[in-house]
Amino acid sequence: PWPARRILARAWARDAALEHASVAAFEQLARRLEVVGAPAELVARASRAAAEEAEHTRLCLALAERYAGRTLALAPTPALPQ
C-alpha cells in the first residue's frame, strides 16, 4: 500500500493494541472490586468498561486491517500484576 495507508494501518494497529490492553485492566479492576466488596453497580461499570474496550479493539483493528489490506493479529496482552 502507498505510504499514507501504511502509516494509518500502523496507527490504528497501535490503538487496537492499547484498547486490547485496557480490556484486561478493566476486567482485573472488576475482579478486585468484587473481592473487596465494592457496590455491585461499581463492579458492573468496570465490567461494562471492559466490554466497551473490547469493542474499541475490534473497531480499531478493523480499520488497521482495511488500511493494511490484510488480516492482522494482536499480540497477547501481558499478564497484569496481581
Side-chain angles (χ1 to χ4, degrees):
W2 47 284
R5 289 183 72 86
R6 280 195 297 271
I7 291 167
L8 289 167
R10 278 195 299 267
W12 283 111
R14 182 184 61 245
D15 286 353
L18 294 171
E19 297 287 348
H20 186 57
S22 295
V23 173
F26 278 112
E27 287 172 343
Q28 183 182 57
L29 175 62
R31 284 191 304 275
R32 286 182 176 183
L33 289 169
E34 195 167 39
V35 166
V36 299
E41 178 59 25
L42 191 56
V43 175
R45 285 179 185 227
S47 294
R48 278 195 304 273
E52 288 174 6
E53 294 302 310
E55 177 64 6
H56 298 163
T57 301
R58 187 189 68 74
L59 294 170
C60 289
L61 189 59
L63 284 165
E65 289 176 337
R66 176 77 81 155
Y67 284 115
R70 62 187 175 87
T71 300
L72 303 173
L74 294 173
T77 303
L80 295 173
Q82 299 296 320

